[in-house]
Each structure stands twice: as structure tokens, then as C-alpha cells.
């Protein structure tokens, strides 16, 4: 179990570090040596997990699609809008999302893979669900409309990046939906859709950061007092049951094997999560 946990941590370190490098430099200019430096692992450890730079890039593109979860309950169209706003927020605050998008665009010109097929399929499924629930016009072809939506979002985020460094992306995506929704949805449904999304993601991120900061402070105070806040008999300061907030996604299923001595002990995970 210890070896597998170490392998998962190393994989996470490499992918997060590579995302920051690809975000900064793009695929062609990204150097394996820089990924190794940021991940704090050796070349042997990297090639234990990935056969090539292209394999790392593919892992990042696979990862970035997981930054969005479409709610299956309630309005499918609102869930689709919310998902777009989730990704718009991630593009501003998450190097994984930015790197995946940059690799996708570069892949078209460099002959590499891109994940737009996943986005299109997910969007088409939500449109089909919208038709089943009477929100989307029955004559609409979900796959055709999905391609238009994904293409529109891709272009808008590029224009927003050029105009404002994506500072206005949330409103630009909302404007996109204001133009697209009348062509695919019943007017009575549109009246209840919030193009800017149902959740203020920036406020949500700030609350999460404040909560994690408070939990870390409580844990530090308890440690300084010589007690373990997670133990059965330890004293608890300022409340109970608080857990330190972790970063990164969960373990990658199926990672096994032994990296041997290729990676220095204590290699850290590069930061790549959403920040306030």
C-alpha cells in the first residue's frame, strides 16, 4: 500500500507540474527537464509513469475534462450552462484547465490528439436529456448543436484571453448562452435559465480557502499545544471533526508497481488547483 500511495503521489506531482509547464510554454517548447524540476522527481520516476511527453500531454487533456460535472437533476439546460461557467472559472484559476485547452488548440495544428470529442459528447447528452424533459426543441440535432456550443466556447475564451486575460470570461460565456439558447430552447424555459450560472464560483472558492485556512490554523494550534486533534484522547481547539483541506484530485485507479530508488523521498506535489 505504501508503494502504491507513493506511485500515486508521484503521478500526481508529474501531471500537476507538467500542466504548469505546458500552460507557460505550450507543447513544443515545454522541456522534460523543466517538468522534472517543478515536480521534484527524477527522469527515471517520470518515465516509469509516462513513455513520452505526448503521453503526459494526453493525461492532462484527459484530466481537464474532469473539472466539470453536469448535474443530472433539475434543468438539463441550466446544468449545461453551469458546467460551462465552471470551466470558465477553471480557465482563470486552474493550470490544468488552461494547459488542457492550450494543448487541445495546438493539437489541431501539430497533428496531436485533442479532447473536444469528450466535451461534444457530454454536451450532446445534456441536450438529449433536455429534449426528454421538454426543454430543448424536438427538431434540434443534439450533436450538431453540441459542436456549435463547444466551438463557440472555445473561440470566446480565446478572444477573452486576448482582450482581458480572461477577466471578463464569465460574462462573455453568459452572452454566448443568451445568443444560443433562443435557437435551441422553448421561450418559457429560457426565462428561468441563468446564463451567468447559478453559483458564484469566486465566492465559493473564497469560502473554501478561508475554511481550509481556519482548519490549518486550528491544527497548528493543537500541534503547538502538544496534542493531536485527530486522536481519540487529544484535546480539540475551536471545534471537532475538522479536517485539513487537501489539494489535487483523488488517486488514479490502477497505479501499481515499484518506482525503486528513482524518486527522492518526500517529493512534493506541484500546486495546480483552483485558488480564490
Amino acid at each position: 500500500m505504501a508503494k502504491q500511495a507513493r506511485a500515486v503521489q508521484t503521478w500526481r506531482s508529474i501531471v500537476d507540474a507538467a500542466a504548469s509547464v505546458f500552460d507557460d510554454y505550450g507543447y513544443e517548447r515545454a522541456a522534460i527537464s523543466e517538468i522534472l524540476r517543478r515536480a521534484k522527481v527524477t527522469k527515471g520516476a517520470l518515465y516509469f509513469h509516462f513513455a513520452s511527453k505526448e503521453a503526459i500531454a494526453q493525461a492532462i487533456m484527459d484530466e481537464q475534462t474532469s473539472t466539470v460535472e453536469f448535474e443530472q437533476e433539475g434543468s438539463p439546460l441550466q446544468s449545461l450552462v453551469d458546467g460551462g461557467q465552471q470551466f470558465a472559472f477553471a480557465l482563470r484559476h486552474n493550470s490544468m484547465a488552461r494547459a488542457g485547452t492550450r494543448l487541445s488548440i495546438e493539437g489541431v495544428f501539430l497533428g496531436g490528439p485533442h479532447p473536444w470529442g469528450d466535451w461534444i459528447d457530454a454536451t450532446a447528452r445534456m441536450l438529449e436529456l433536455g429534449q426528454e424533459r421538454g426543454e430543448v426543441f424536438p427538431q434540434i440535432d443534439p450533436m450538431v448543436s453540441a459542436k456549435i456550443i463547444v466551438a463557440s466556447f472555445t473561440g470566446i475564451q480565446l478572444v477573452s484571453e486576448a482582450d482581458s486575460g480572461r477577466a471578463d470570461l464569465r460574462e462573455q460565456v453568459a452572452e454566448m448562452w443568451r445568443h444560443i439558447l433562443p435557437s435551441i430552447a422553448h421561450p418559457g424555459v429560457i426565462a428561468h435559465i441563468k446564463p451567468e450560472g447559478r453559483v458564484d464560483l469566486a465566492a465559493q472558492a473564497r469560502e473554501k480557502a478561508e475554511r481550509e485556512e481556519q482548519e490549518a490554523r486550528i491544527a497548528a494550534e493543537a500541534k503547538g499545544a502538544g496534542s493531536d486533534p485527530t486522536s481519540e484522547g487529544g484535546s480539540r481547539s475551536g471545534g471537532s471533526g475538522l479536517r485539513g483541506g487537501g489539494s489535487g484530485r483523488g488517486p488514479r485507479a490502477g497505479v501499481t508497481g515499484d518506482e525503486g530508488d528513482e524518486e527522492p523521498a518526500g517529493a512534493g506535489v506541484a500546486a495546480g488547483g483552483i485558488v480564490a
Side-chain angles (χ1 to χ4, degrees):
M1 291 297 292
K3 289 180 178 179
Q4 182 168 346
R6 181 185 177 192
V8 170
Q9 181 181 8
T10 302
W11 186 92
R12 180 79 268 158
S13 299
I14 294 167
V15 172
D16 286 342
S20 69
V21 174
F22 286 130
D23 181 29
D24 289 341
Y25 299 107
Y27 182 82
E28 288 296 304
R29 293 174 56 219
I32 291 292
S33 59
E34 181 61 14
I35 295 174
L36 294 173
R37 187 188 70 80
R38 297 189 190 188
K40 296 184 176 69
V41 301
T42 65
K43 185 179 291 186
L46 184 147
Y47 284 111
F48 174 85
H49 291 278
F50 299 100
S52 63
K53 185 169 77 169
E54 181 178 350
I56 303 173
Q58 184 60 59
I60 290 170
M61 288 189 287
D62 292 341
E63 282 274 295
Q64 60 119 3
T65 58
S66 68
T67 59
V68 172
E69 294 183 4
F70 294 114
E71 294 288 339
Q72 300 299 309
E73 301 299 325
S75 165
L77 280 179
Q78 184 65 67
S79 294
L80 193 55
V81 170
D82 291 346
Q85 290 293 5
Q86 284 177 36
F87 195 64
F89 185 80
L91 282 171
R92 293 193 61 197
H93 300 285
N94 190 323
S95 62
M96 190 69 66
R98 290 193 301 272
T101 297
R102 181 167 184 172
L103 289 168
S104 302
I105 295 167
E106 290 182 352
V108 173
F109 302 102
L110 300 175
H114 66 76
W116 288 331
D118 291 339
W119 290 117
I120 291 168
D121 290 343
T123 301
R125 284 194 297 271
M126 295 306 295
L127 292 174
E128 289 171 355
L129 188 58
Q131 286 180 324
E132 293 173 6
R133 296 183 183 176
E135 291 189 345
V136 176
F137 293 136
Q139 68 270 25
I140 294 299
D141 184 325
M143 186 58 67
V144 172
S145 295
K147 288 181 180 179
I148 292 172
I149 291 168
V150 172
S152 299
F153 184 96
T154 301
I156 282 173
Q157 67 87 17
L158 283 173
V159 172
S160 177
E161 166 66 14
D163 284 347
S164 65
R166 296 193 179 103
D168 65 346
L169 185 53
R170 183 186 185 191
E171 179 52 36
Q172 291 301 317
V173 172
E175 205 56 54
M176 177 195 84
W177 283 115
R178 293 186 185 104
H179 281 73
I180 291 177
L181 284 172
S183 68
I184 64 173
H186 293 284
V189 173
I190 297 174
H192 299 285
I193 300 293
K194 296 182 177 180
E196 67 281 0
R198 286 177 291 191
V199 178
D200 186 340
L201 295 167
Q204 191 178 72
R206 285 193 298 271
E207 291 174 2
K208 181 175 183 290
E210 290 170 359
R211 183 171 63 251
E212 291 179 351
E213 182 181 355
Q214 180 184 20
E215 292 173 359
R217 185 170 58 252
I218 292 172
E221 290 173 355
K223 184 177 180 181
S227 63
D228 181 358
T230 63
S231 66
E232 290 288 339
S235 62
R236 301 176 186 267
S237 174
S240 62
L242 294 174
R243 298 174 295 178
S247 63
R249 298 180 180 83
R252 173 172 165 259
V255 176
T256 59
D258 187 357
E259 296 164 309
D261 297 323
E262 295 293 348
E263 178 200 1
V269 178
I274 293 177
V275 296

